[in-house]
Amino acid sequence: MIVRFTPSAVAHAVQEVVAELERSGARVWRSTESARPIVASAGGGGDDLAAALADRPEVEEVVAPPGGLRLAARAFRESPTRVRVGRGPGAVVIGGPEVPVIAGPCSVEGRDFMTEVAAAVAAGGARILRGGAFKPRTSPYSFQGFGVEGLAQLVEAGRAHGLPVCAEIMDAAHLPAFLDHDVDLLQVGARNSQNFTLLKAIAAAGRPVLLKRGLAMTLDEWLQSAEYLMAHGCDQVVLCERGIRTFETATRNTLDLTVLPVLRERTHLPVVVDPAHAVGIARFIPPLARAAVACGADGLTVEVHPRPEQARSDGPQALLPAELASLVAETRILAALTPRAGRSG
Ligand code: PEP
Ligand code: MN
């Protein structure tokens, strides 16, 4: 359950409720929300306890969020979560008034290549540099990425251009390398978003996580994966819609923008849209990106390559640098036009 107190509830009244929940055997979390005290509990007492707590004068309401969510539930916070990626003046906020674009190649393809792409990404106005070093490929014979060397090339290129970096982590055993190289945003890919062992392992790392939707994942399942991260210590979670598998074969996947308004009601977490892996064809990405921003996306992630026909992976969906720059410019215009409730300032 989630217990939402009145804004004026005093600390000892909140502590009494926390103690009562704990006595019932529940695990309890307190929201970092400053507008009012909010606590969430899992396990322990049921309906009777919820009713008793709801009767307390300092308790405004006791909520049972749909799908059994707790920390990811909208009710656990008063305001939307803002996720800060990177440190210092180059840090990028996802979930604020800006709609940042994450861009870079599908795969890191070498040091000079990454320097070239990072320059194009920075010049195009994108804010975070992406690049895969450990690649989840359908065929074992396809390029699997340069591994740790690729991470080093990504980070070096990002730092040289003042861009925080994002890379996919597929195996908890690689986490020390991601931290040693200081990867700013850990991407959990569509094929791993229900790998609960991985989610638990990376949650404790204190890094923001970009959690992609699985290929056939319902919205509830996706939010439960976010809940795994949060229950294990990561409150900096960004959801990423990247298309789902449907009966449609004309495009790689089907971009499900339906989730944007629904997620806004269900969770306080920011949502980024990846039109590239959804549609899989570069010329269809700009209209889908515009639709995503108009629907309230908190950010976009796309792939860019100066020579897509030579890309080691996902060439058909790679934007050219000039196309990226147009997409970023359109995103800024549309973001300013789109009502972004609660996101001002
Ligand atoms: C990627 O971002 O390169 C990727 C493999 O994405 P997804 O997990 O969405 O397929
Ligand atoms: Mn890709």
Side-chain angles (χ1 to χ4, degrees):
M1 70 182 89
I2 294 180
V3 182
R4 293 168 56 83
F5 293 82
T6 58
S8 59
V10 291
H12 87 264
V14 176
Q15 191 44 47
E16 271 177 27
V17 168
V18 169
E20 196 158 339
L21 285 164
E22 283 173 346
R23 270 197 303 278
S24 80
R27 193 173 160 198
V28 181
W29 295 265
R30 296 173 81 128
S31 178
T32 51
E33 185 60 58
S34 57
R36 67 169 76 231
I38 302 175
V39 304
S41 70
D47 292 349
D48 289 352
L49 179 57
L53 296 180
D55 272 348
R56 289 176 173 250
E58 67 277 8
V59 171
E60 194 162 285
E61 54 177 348
V62 176
V63 185
L69 284 190
R70 300 287 194 282
L71 313 185
R74 186 72 192 85
F76 191 59
R77 285 188 60 83
E78 204 74 340
S79 49
T81 285
R82 293 180 173 194
V83 173
R84 179 176 292 274
V85 181
R87 286 185 293 265
V92 176
V93 174
I94 304 177
E98 195 196 344
V99 180
V101 176
I102 303 169
C106 181
S107 299
V108 174
E109 299 182 10
R111 171 167 278 119
D112 293 347
F113 166 81
M114 273 320 296
T115 306
E116 180 186 5
V117 179
V121 164
R127 301 292 313 277
I128 297 173
L129 180 67
R130 63 147 285 154
F134 296 91
K135 294 304 302 177
R137 305 306 300 282
T138 302
S139 164
Y141 309 116
S142 302
F143 177 58
Q144 305 283 306
F146 285 135
V148 176
E149 184 51 33
L151 285 184
Q153 293 169 2
L154 170 72
V155 173
E156 185 186 312
R159 298 290 179 265
H161 289 88
L163 301 164
V165 302
C166 170
E168 175 167 353
I169 179 160
M170 296 209 300
D171 187 334
H174 299 153
L175 184 60
F178 277 70
L179 298 179
D180 284 351
H181 285 91
D182 210 13
V183 173
D184 302 289
L185 178 60
L186 303 177
Q187 177 171 316
V188 175
R191 290 153 194 82
N192 262 318
S193 43
Q194 282 186 305
N195 180 341
F196 304 118
T197 312
L198 177 66
L199 295 175
K200 287 193 263 188
I202 66 171
R207 287 283 144 126
V209 174
L210 183 76
L211 177 65
K212 290 215 170 180
R213 184 183 187 181
L215 287 91
M217 213 184 204
T218 66
L219 188 143
D220 276 329
E221 290 165 339
W222 187 15
L223 286 171
Q224 288 294 354
S225 287
E227 191 77 28
Y228 258 96
L229 288 166
M230 299 187 80
H232 287 87
C234 174
D235 60 359
Q236 298 280 288
V237 180
V238 180
L239 299 168
C240 178
E241 160 62 32
R242 48 77 72 201
I244 49 172
R245 190 161 281 182
T246 67
F247 53 81
E248 183 54 72
T249 54
T251 55
R252 183 174 179 177
N253 289 294
T254 299
L255 182 62
D256 182 12
L257 293 180
T258 318
V259 296
L260 286 167
V262 180
L263 283 171
R264 197 63 82 214
E265 234 178 65
R266 299 278 299 275
T267 183
H268 52 81
L269 297 172
V271 188
V272 158
V273 171
D274 173 352
H277 291 87
V279 71
I281 302 164
R283 69 180 181 283
F284 299 136
I285 291 173
L288 293 173
R290 293 193 291 269
V293 179
C295 263
D298 295 299
L300 295 171
T301 175
V302 293
E303 293 182 339
V304 61
H305 198 295
R307 294 165 293 280
E309 65 292 348
Q310 292 172 19
R312 308 276 312 247
S313 59
D314 284 350
Q317 67 193 38
L319 299 174
L320 293 167
E323 293 169 335
L324 171 68
S326 304
L327 183 139
V328 171
E330 289 174 359
T331 297
R332 287 202 185 119
I333 294 167
L334 280 165
L337 289 175
T338 309
R340 312 190 64 73
R343 288 173 182 269
S344 54

